[in-house]
Amino acid sequence: MRVSSLDRALAALACLAGLLGVALSAAAAHIPGADSLKTAAQFLLFHAPAILGLTGLGRLGLARPALARGASGLLVLGLLLFCGDLSVRTWLQQPLFPMAAPIGGFALMGGWLLGAIGALIPARRQPHHAG
């Protein structure tokens, strides 16, 4: 079974989210009052395995692959906006752009909802070919 380049990209982005979560956790431990960085780190660390899981569920046929990929994509987008905004606010004392964090939060919620829908809608059966 061939792995799509989108699945590979999502898996790589999930691992990058985990790496950034660890890095932000370390940074937050050394910056007094960096509660926003702690929150961003937690979000990255919580969602990295979720993205990996959604990608895997789609590949295994336990979730509709297109919906699992869409859910993973929304989680990545949400992390970029939400965690990016929290991080930029901490280091540059200004927002990423107006409403970046709330938009990111809604994208994260949308990703979880789409993941649930993808898990509830059975994957299409591939015709079995002998030979």
Side-chain angles (χ1 to χ4, degrees):
M1 181 181 280
R2 192 172 158 271
V3 177
S4 77
S5 57
L6 181 55
D7 288 339
R8 287 181 191 279
L10 289 167
L13 289 169
C15 292
L16 183 59
L19 179 147
L20 291 172
V22 172
L24 288 183
S25 292
H30 297 286
I31 300 172
D35 291 337
S36 292
L37 281 186
K38 289 178 188 175
T39 300
Q42 290 173 343
F43 269 70
L44 288 161
L45 290 170
F46 295 155
H47 287 86
I51 295 164
L52 290 171
L54 282 165
T55 303
L57 290 172
R59 294 271 311 138
L60 292 172
L62 297 173
R64 181 72 62 119
L67 294 178
R69 286 182 188 117
S72 294
L74 280 172
L75 292 179
V76 169
L77 175 64
L79 289 174
L80 283 170
L81 294 175
F82 185 79
C83 298
D85 188 61
L86 293 179
S87 299
V88 168
R89 284 176 187 268
T90 298
W91 282 313
L92 302 180
Q93 304 299 307
Q94 65 181 29
L96 186 60
F97 61 84
M99 300 296 292
I103 292 168
F106 278 109
L108 289 167
M109 289 186 280
W112 284 105
L113 178 60
L114 193 58
I117 292 168
L120 292 173
I121 297 174
R124 291 190 179 125
R125 294 266 180 203
Q126 297 294 331
H128 180 69
H129 297 288

